[in-house]
Amino acid sequence: MKPLQSILTVLFIALLSNTVSAQFGNGGFNNGYGNNNGGNRRMNSSMDQNRAQEKPKEIPVEVTVAKIIERIKPELLLDELQVVALSNILNESIRTQGMLMKAETSQELKMENLKVLGEVTDRKIMELLNKDQKEKFVALNEEAKNPKKSKKKSK
C-alpha cells in the first residue's frame, strides 16, 4: 500500500498547489500599478518558470520497487532469481496502479480495481515463494495492514 500512499500524496500536493496558485495568481488585476502590462508579463513568465520547477518530482517506479525489495529480501531470504521475478511483478503492479488512479472512473470503481490488482499481485508473488517464505510473506502483509496490533504492550 506504500506505493498507493505515495501516489495519492503526489496527487494531493499537485491539487493543493493548483488551488494556491489560483488564489494568489495574477487573476487579471494590475496589483495597483497602473497599466504596466509589459512589466507584469515579464514577472509572470518568471513566476511560471518557478512554478514549473516547484512541482513535486515523481518517484520512479524502479526506486519504489527497489525499496520494497530491500525491505522484504532479508525477511523472506530471497535468492537473486526471486528478487528479479518479484521486481518485475511489482513494477507491473505499480505501473498499473498509476494507470488506474489516472483513469476517469468513479472512486468506487477505482478502489475495487485497486483491490483486485492487489489480490492478483499477492497471488503472483505467492507462486514464486516456497512454503516458509509464504508464511513470512503473509505475516508481513498482516503486519503492514495492522501495524498497531503487532506492537501491543503486554502487561
Side-chain angles (χ1 to χ4, degrees), residues 74-86:
E75 303 236 2
L76 299 180
L77 303 172
L78 300 171
D79 62 35
E80 290 306 311
L81 185 59
Q82 287 175 317
V83 168
V84 170
L86 286 175

Side-chain angles (χ1 to χ4, degrees), residues 32-69:
Y33 292 108
N35 195 7
N36 189 6
N37 287 333
N40 284 341
R41 278 192 208 119
R42 275 183 258 129
M43 182 189 289
N44 286 339
S45 67
S46 68
M47 287 173 57
D48 289 342
Q49 290 172 352
N50 289 340
R51 283 187 196 142
Q53 293 173 354
E54 291 173 10
K55 287 184 181 177
K57 203 164 92 174
E58 199 169 305
I59 300 171
V61 173
E62 291 77 15
V63 172
T64 304
V65 169
K67 287 181 181 179
I68 293 170
I69 294 295

Side-chain angles (χ1 to χ4, degrees), residues 22 24-32 34-35 37 40 44:
F24 297 107
N26 191 2
F29 296 108
N30 301 6
N31 297 328
N35 195 7
N37 287 333
N40 284 341
N44 286 339

